[in-house]
Every structure is written in structure tokens, then in C-alpha cells.
Amino acid sequence: MSTQGYEEELRSERSYVAGLYTRLDAERARVKREYDAALRGPVGRESGGTPMERDVEVRTLAKEMKRLDVADDGLCFGRLDTNSGARSYIGRIGLFDEENEYEPLLLDWRAPASRAFYVATAANPEGMRRRRQFHTRGRQVLDFTDEVLGRPDGDERGDPALLAAVNAPRGDGMRDIVATIQAEQDEIIRLDHPGVLVIEGGPGTGKTVVALHRVAYLLYTQRERMERHGVLVVGPNPAFLSYIGRVLPSLGETDVVFMTTGDLVPGLRVTAEDSPEVARLKGSLEVLDVLAAAIADRQRLPEQPLPIELGGVTLRIDAETAEWAIQEARASGLPHNEARAVFGEIVTYVLTERAIARIGRGWLTRADREEWEQLRADLLSELVGDDTFSAALGELWPILTPETLLASLYESPERLRAAGADQALWRAEGDAWTVSDVPLLDELVDLLGRDKAADNSAEQAAERERKAEAEYAAGVMDLMKLDREELDEDVQLVAENLLYAEDLADRFVERDTRDLVERAAADRDWTYRHVVVDEAQELSEMDWRVLMRRCPSRSLTVVGDLAQRRSMAGAASWEEMLEPYVPGRWVYRSLSVNYRTPAEIMAVAAALLDEFAPGVRPPESVRACGVRPWSKRVTEDELPAAIDEFVRDEAAREGTSIVIGPPDVPGAVPPSETKGLEFDAVLVVEPMRILADGPRGAAELYVALTRATQRLGVLHQGPLPQALTGLAETGIPARAGSRRPA
């Protein structure tokens, strides 16, 4: 194409995209009008909707406004031309021409008709003649590149938009790849599989961002089924969740809850970790027997009979009575706290029978049915308010919470022995919860059950409050009524025609106006339509039990890399973890191209991978950066200054950087906190010490070496690990075809 022809095409494309923004603005204005009207709309029966229905409408319109807002930046990023001459524009959302039978002006990237934009190649053009990709900034089309399809000599890996994206400096958050999805990624994103999809790939293969785009695709194609319950995304740490948190909103999807495994029990935000061995013990399914035994240990026989005063006589709860009650309560199959009612019924029956026998001796027999039942009722009423009886039940069958049970177990060597637990689980009183405790606490919610008495009390209090509010509202209505005899006959509306007492009460009673994300995150029993698990190789058997409870439909996208597993409790194979829950219902896909790590850096990481996981093939880098990774040996006194030099040098460059090293290195971040993240430049400090951190050390060093997109440096005091001896021993990295900035 000549320069003049290019300029004419560019002007034409800018004009078309400007028209799309005009349509977007019109749609946004329409939704805003409806939103404002819904906010101002009347409440009550005459309005045709309840207050709750209006709240739903307001939230729906607010979500739609948010979707239109996020589409503003880079709305249209490409065009497809077919062999017949038809053309389609591809973008973040779909837009239609309302005046022309809703002719599509812009295809949503998830629509079936958009698929060729991602999968058409020179050898397999999918009926397409040309793919055009726009380079945009905000609403402005800066330029475009064309790829002519169907040529037998076409370049299958020469995507200029992709190379521009992977070479661009990184920011604070993960970017979506909606404009540069590759064919192997698109196949996974659009995969039609109702069960569990495992996406495995080495560092930089884009498995996380592919999983997020798959969520956006599922929400687009199955919105009605998925929207009411939302999606849960589980990541390895808060920094990772913050990093990926912008991707789905940028694609117009907001009904997504982001959590770490330490957040899965509402009210807890746990980040502390156990030692590898303790984490292994807590993560194994064998701990279920420990929990069951710990609960059974709290269902006790009295060491000495417990005296109870009832009806003027002294009775005793003896071991025989308690044993019968325990057997009946356990046989009920109810959780511990709910089975307490059965335990109490048996003990109450024994005590009242004994009391009646003693009180009625000589004058009362079972033939005196009415008197017998009246005496029983009186005794039962007396027991209900008897503090001594309540204390006895609490001693023999206490109401337990997950926190109190687990803390008392950990803090007592005797209780650990009684539960058959390893003494390595012992901890000092008051120690904080760890990430490995969270699935145990969640398990105990089901094993212990609810305190029915407390639940009933709360429900009764809520009902009393509702009735009081309704009575108050009725009083307000009485005050608002107008004397109709004093009204002109032309006055058609009075307050009572507009408001009803129940509706007014609804306005005074606090309604749950939280959006889906807030409600789901606060509700332990919330179930999701789909769950994404990132760094899934780190999850223990107990972690998987929690996630399967959260997703009864078993619709999951599992993302990980077994070669990066650092946890002794994690997955050794995907089959081992998934088959018990979804036998035959999970499929495996792998990503083999590294879009993050340049070839120079991946060669270093691959040498380490070959030592600790010789059977694993490293991903193939899509590019080279021309910068050779370097290392520098320093003394203990020189180390801080060398780190500062790296930080100052990178501060002068565009992009991001990080120092990764052992926890006691000033300014360094542990490798575990960088999982899933990427930076333009990485400085790894003391790799030998990272490697020496038990069984997980090699995986952590592999993670540290594969975070960089451009530059990698290593500082060390002692010898380098054998796998890293090929690094250039210098403090100044060699840069091909460029100069260090001043």
C-alpha cells in the first residue's frame, strides 16, 4: 500500500471508529436516563414494582453503565475482511445500528463471528482475506497494520501487534490480551466443556490471562446461568489478586469475587504460613479423622455424677445416662451442635422420669395420665430455666465454634493425643491462624453445624423487629391521611393511594443493597457457577474440599504449573487431585509459548529446571530481547549498595522492577509473593540461599528467574548454583543495540 493510500485508509478508519464512539455515547446516555429514572421512581404497589425489584433494576443499570464505561478505552481494535469483500469490526463489546434492523456495527470479541480474527492464519485463512489490527490510544486510532491471509508463504509467527504488546513496558496491573489473543489461547478460551478444565503452562505462557478471558467468554455465552451466582477467582496472594484485578472489569465483567485460600472463610484474612511439614499434615485428608476425633473428645461422660435439683428432689446425671444420650445423638447423623438437642432430650427424659417416680411415689401411677403429663410439663419447664442443668449440658456436650475447637486442640498436647494428631500441630496459645488452618475451619462449619437455639432466637428477634416497623408505618399512615370531605372533588390522589403501610415499612427496614460481589464474599454458604483456581499446584487436598463445596456444579478452570510447586501439600499430579471429585469430567490443555520471558533469560531458567525437574520441557520464548542476564559477586558490606544501584538505575527507565531474595535481605520480596507477576527488570539476590530453602527452594528460584520481561541480574556473596554459572559475571549487563540511560 502506498503512503497516500495508507493515509486515506487511516482517515477512513478513524471516521468509522469515531462513529462507533458516537453510538457508544448514545447508548451510555440512554442507560443513564433509565438509571436516574429508576432512582427517582415511586415506591409502592401503584408503581408496578416492589422496592426490592427497584433495587435490582438500579443495580442492573449501574452494571450496564460500568460495562459501557470500561469499553471506552480501545473500543475497536481490529477489522476482518472476507474473500467476498465483506468486513467486520472487532471490539470489546457489541454495538448495533438501531435504525437499520440492528445491523452489527461492532462485533464483541467473544461472538462466534469474531473467532476468525484470532485463529485465521496464512495457511488456514478461515475464509478471510485480511486481518487489520489498530493501534489506539484512548479514542484515537494512531495507526494500523495489515496481515494478508491465504498466502502460502505467509509468516505464521510474525504478528506485529503481539510483539509490540510483549515488548511494551509493564505497568502496575496485568493487561487484557483481547486484541492479541493467539490461536492456541483462543481454542482454550472458547472450549465447550462443562466440567473442569486444567490449563498448564510454564512461566510467561499467559495461562492466567487466558483463564480470565475464558471467564469473560463464559459470562458472555452463559450469562443467564452464571450471572446470579457469579464467579470466584482464587489466587496465591493479595498482591497477585491486585495485579490481575483489572482484567475482567476491562472486559466489562464485574460479578467476580477475588480471594486467596486464606480468605475463603468470611471474616478471616489469613496470610501466615506453616512450616512445610505442618502444612503437609494439615493439608492431607487424614486430618479429617483428627477433626472428627477432636469433636468426639468433647462429647464427654461425667467423671462424677452431676447433681441436678428438680421438683424438690436431687437427681444425678451419671455416666450411664450420658453414654446413652451420646450414642443416640451420634446415631442421629446430625452435626455436633445440632445433635446436642438429641443429647439433651435423652438426658431430660431420664431426669424427668426419675423425678416423677420419686415425687409421685405412693400416689401417682401411669394410669393417672393427665396428672402424669402435667407433672412432666412442670418439670420440663423448670429444667429450661435451670442454670445448673444448662451448665451440665455445656460440660458434657458443649456448643462449639470452629475457632474454639481448633484453637483448644492445637494448644493442648493431651487433646492432640486424644484426637490421634501429630504433636507437630501443637502451637502456643494466641498464635495467629495460618493459611493451612482455613480449610480446617471451613470443614468444621459443616461438622459442628449451627446452634439451633441461637438461630431461632435471632429469627424471632428479626420477626419482632419487622412487626414493630410495620406498626410504626401504620401509625405514620394514620397521620398522613387527609379528611376527604375537605378535599376538592378534582383531587384524585391522596397519600394512602400512593403508599401502603407494608411498603412504607419496607422503606424503614434496612434492605440488603449490597452488590453480588459483596454478598458472595460475606456468605460462607454462597455457591458459585464457576471457579478459577490459579497456581493450583499449591492447593492441598483440604483446599480442594473447600472449593468443591463452593462450586456444586463442578465448573472450574484450573491454572497451574506442576514444575513450580513449592508446597509439600500441593498437587503431584492433576489426576490425583481431581479424579475424586470429577471422575472423567476434567480435560487437560497446555500452553507451550512463552510470551513474557525473552529467550536469553529463559535459557538460564531452563538450566535450573533441567536439574530439579528433568522431565519437564520449558516453554519456547516468542522473542529475544538482546540483553544478556548478568551476575555480580559482592561482599556482605557491598550488597546493600549494589541493590541500591539496581533500584536507582531502573527508576530511570520506563516500566517496573523488583528485588527478589530471602526475607532478611533489605528491600527484597520473597519469591512466593511474586508468583504470577511480571516486571521489566528483576534482581535476584542470594540464589543459593533461596535454593537451600528445603524442598521448595528450587521451585522458588525458578519462579524468581522467570519474572523478568527484559532484564535479569543476580547478586551473590557465595558461589552461584551450578545451573547459573553460565551468567555473565559483571555488574553491567550487555545491551545489544542500545545504550544505558543517563
Side-chain angles (χ1 to χ4, degrees):
M1 184 184 300
S2 67
T3 301
Q4 181 178 355
Y6 174 83
E7 292 297 335
E8 289 177 357
E9 284 277 297
L10 183 58
R11 283 193 295 270
S12 175
E13 299 294 22
R14 285 173 173 169
S15 175
Y16 188 88
V17 172
L20 292 176
Y21 276 108
T22 299
R23 178 72 188 88
L24 178 68
D25 291 340
E27 183 69 7
R28 184 187 286 120
R30 179 190 66 79
V31 175
K32 182 65 164 61
R33 287 194 301 271
E34 293 181 6
Y35 176 78
D36 291 341
L39 285 178
R40 296 192 305 267
V43 178
R45 294 169 185 167
E46 299 300 324
S47 69
T50 66
M52 182 174 296
E53 288 171 337
R54 193 185 68 165
D55 287 342
V56 171
E57 181 183 8
V58 169
R59 284 198 294 266
T60 300
L61 290 169
K63 186 188 301 182
E64 179 64 8
M65 285 196 300
K66 195 177 297 184
R67 186 182 76 91
L68 295 173
D69 286 341
V70 298
D72 200 287
D73 189 4
L75 171 65
C76 177
F77 50 77
R79 190 184 97 186
L80 271 176
D81 296 354
T82 68
N83 289 329
S84 63
R87 63 179 57 170
S88 301
Y89 287 84
I90 316 297
R92 292 181 176 277
I93 63 172
L95 291 175
F96 302 89
D97 185 353
E98 293 181 345
E99 298 178 357
N100 189 19
E101 298 182 350
Y102 282 87
E103 185 74 17
L105 301 172
L106 182 68
L107 289 176
D108 191 298
W109 67 274
R110 296 165 288 192
S114 299
R115 185 171 180 271
F117 184 79
Y118 300 110
V119 302
T121 65
N124 298 290
E126 302 280 333
M128 300 298 154
R129 180 174 61 87
R130 176 170 57 190
R131 172 169 44 220
R132 174 168 290 179
Q133 294 176 303
F134 299 138
H135 178 209
T136 63
R137 181 180 296 126
R139 292 190 165 200
Q140 182 67 31
V141 177
L142 301 180
D143 54 40
F144 65 81
T145 57
D146 279 345
E147 185 179 357
V148 178
L149 304 170
R151 291 180 176 176
D153 59 345
D155 183 3
E156 298 285 338
R157 298 271 310 264
D159 186 340
L162 171 65
L163 293 177
V166 297
N167 280 306
R170 267 42 180 183
D172 293 332
M174 178 180 281
R175 299 167 296 183
D176 65 62
I177 59 169
V178 65
T180 58
I181 294 171
Q182 300 301 290
E184 72 167 354
Q185 298 172 329
D186 185 79
E187 179 189 352
I188 294 173
I189 290 170
R190 298 174 190 267
L191 184 66
D192 182 16
H193 178 69
V196 176
L197 167 63
V198 176
I199 307 174
E200 183 164 27
T205 53
K207 52 188 179 292
T208 297
V209 75
V210 166
L212 296 176
H213 283 67
R214 175 168 170 77
V215 168
Y217 176 76
L218 292 175
L219 285 168
Y220 175 80
T221 57
Q222 305 175 28
R223 188 166 301 281
E224 185 174 346
R225 187 182 76 85
M226 296 183 65
E227 197 169 40
R228 290 185 180 181
H229 288 258
V231 174
L232 172 64
V233 176
V234 179
N237 54 60
F240 174 82
L241 294 180
S242 176
Y243 180 68
I244 69 171
R246 303 176 188 176
V247 174
L248 283 167
S250 76
L251 299 173
E253 304 299 346
T254 56
D255 289 337
V256 182
V257 178
F258 293 88
M259 290 185 178
T260 69
T261 53
D263 304 331
L264 288 171
V265 172
L268 292 180
R269 292 292 182 270
V270 180
T271 58
E273 292 188 357
D274 283 305
S275 68
E277 175 59 19
V278 171
R280 184 190 67 79
L281 291 170
K282 292 180 180 179
S284 168
L285 292 182
E286 294 176 1
V287 80
L288 292 172
D289 293 333
V290 172
L291 297 180
I295 294 172
D297 184 52
R298 303 300 295 273
Q299 302 162 358
R300 308 179 70 90
L301 302 176
E303 296 181 1
Q304 298 293 332
L306 302 177
I308 302 293
E309 296 292 331
L310 182 61
V313 299
T314 300
L315 307 168
R316 286 174 174 77
I317 303 175
D318 53 28
E320 183 181 5
T321 299
E323 184 174 10
W324 179 30
I326 287 174
Q327 290 174 351
E328 292 296 323
R330 289 176 178 173
S332 72
L334 295 170
H336 170 86
N337 289 333
E338 297 171 29
R340 173 188 163 109
V342 178
F343 178 85
E345 286 174 4
I346 298 298
V347 174
T348 298
Y349 172 79
V350 172
L351 291 179
T352 54
E353 285 293 306
R354 290 175 179 174
I356 291 171
R358 292 178 59 180
I359 294 170
R361 184 176 298 159
W363 66 271
L364 182 66
T365 68
R366 289 189 181 274
D368 305 313
R369 185 177 183 84
E370 185 173 340
E371 291 84 354
W372 187 285
E373 292 301 329
Q374 182 59 52
L375 180 55
R376 176 187 294 279
D378 293 341
L379 294 174
L380 288 174
S381 178
E382 184 178 340
L383 277 179
V384 168
D386 191 314
D387 292 340
T388 302
F389 179 66
S390 296
L393 289 183
E395 179 181 340
L396 301 179
W397 195 289
I399 293 294
L400 298 171
T401 68
E403 292 81 3
T404 56
L405 176 72
L406 202 57
S408 64
L409 174 67
Y410 288 159
E411 293 162 6
S412 169
E414 293 78 14
R415 282 181 172 156
L416 286 171
R417 280 194 294 271
D422 195 302
Q423 290 294 317
L425 297 182
W426 179 88
R427 71 175 195 179
E429 184 176 353
D431 279 2
W433 297 116
T434 67
V435 173
S436 302
D437 290 324
V438 173
L440 277 62
L441 293 168
D442 189 75
E443 189 77 33
L444 285 169
V445 172
D446 287 344
L447 293 176
L448 295 176
R450 305 299 203 271
D451 180 356
K452 289 297 186 181
D455 286 351
N456 291 338
S457 176
E459 290 175 5
Q460 292 168 2
E463 178 63 17
R464 288 194 298 270
E465 182 178 356
R466 190 196 67 78
K467 289 181 178 179
E469 294 290 357
E471 291 173 2
Y472 171 75
V476 172
M477 291 299 302
D478 288 340
L479 293 175
M480 293 176 64
K481 284 184 178 179
L482 302 175
D483 187 347
R484 295 184 182 182
E485 295 180 358
E486 297 178 2
L487 289 176
D488 185 270
E489 61 181 354
D490 291 333
V491 177
Q492 299 296 320
L493 297 177
V494 293
E496 63 194 86
N497 290 332
L498 297 176
L499 292 170
Y500 290 77
E502 295 91 336
D503 299 322
L504 188 60
D506 278 344
R507 298 184 72 174
F508 283 99
V509 176
E510 182 179 355
R511 297 193 302 274
D512 189 350
T513 59
R514 298 171 299 171
D515 62 20
L516 181 144
V517 171
E518 293 172 313
R519 287 182 286 124
D523 186 354
R524 183 264 174 185
D525 295 324
W526 188 278
T527 58
Y528 297 89
R529 280 290 182 263
H530 192 76
V531 174
V532 176
V533 189
D534 209 328
E535 301 295 345
Q537 73 277 356
E538 306 297 349
L539 270 61
S540 69
E541 293 175 312
M542 290 299 294
D543 289 325
W544 282 109
R545 283 179 65 86
V546 179
L547 293 179
M548 293 300 175
R549 277 194 289 269
R550 300 295 190 271
C551 190
S553 65
R554 303 293 194 262
S555 176
L556 294 92
T557 300
V558 176
V559 183
D561 180 11
L562 295 178
Q564 296 186 58
R565 179 173 68 96
R566 60 185 292 272
S567 172
M568 292 177 63
S573 75
W574 301 119
E575 182 178 14
E576 175 185 286
M577 286 297 186
L578 297 175
E579 273 295 318
Y581 301 104
V582 283
R585 283 192 58 219
W586 64 281
V587 297
Y588 175 89
R589 294 292 185 273
S590 63
L591 292 168
S592 58
V593 179
N594 189 328
Y595 300 99
R596 174 205 303 148
T597 316
E600 296 90 341
I601 296 175
M602 197 61 219
V604 176
L608 175 66
L609 182 66
D610 188 56
E611 285 192 358
F612 79 91
V616 178
R617 182 179 178 181
E620 180 184 356
S621 296
V622 76
R623 67 191 170 100
C625 66
V627 181
R628 186 179 177 187
W630 56 270
S631 65
K632 183 179 181 180
R633 188 165 188 170
V634 295
T635 65
E636 182 177 356
D637 293 337
E638 293 171 336
L639 182 61
I643 294 175
D644 290 342
E645 180 184 0
F646 168 83
V647 172
R648 286 194 305 271
D649 182 64
E650 290 302 329
R653 303 176 188 262
E654 187 179 5
T656 60
S657 63
I658 193 171
V659 179
I660 303 176
D664 59 348
V665 174
V669 176
S672 60
E673 294 185 14
T674 67
K675 299 198 78 168
L677 308 183
E678 60 183 19
F679 307 87
D680 291 271
V682 171
L683 180 67
V684 178
V685 181
E686 297 289 24
M688 187 63 85
R689 287 182 55 197
I690 297 174
L691 195 61
D693 184 20
R696 59 189 180 187
E700 294 209 328
L701 182 55
Y702 183 61
V703 168
L705 294 173
T706 53
R707 299 306 95 192
T709 66
Q710 301 291 344
R711 299 175 294 279
L712 172 67
V714 174
L715 291 177
H716 58 107
Q717 296 183 59
L720 280 173
Q722 181 63 34
L724 306 188
T725 53
L727 288 170
E729 185 67 26
T730 176
I732 303 176
R735 304 188 65 200
S738 60
R739 296 177 300 173
R740 288 171 63 89

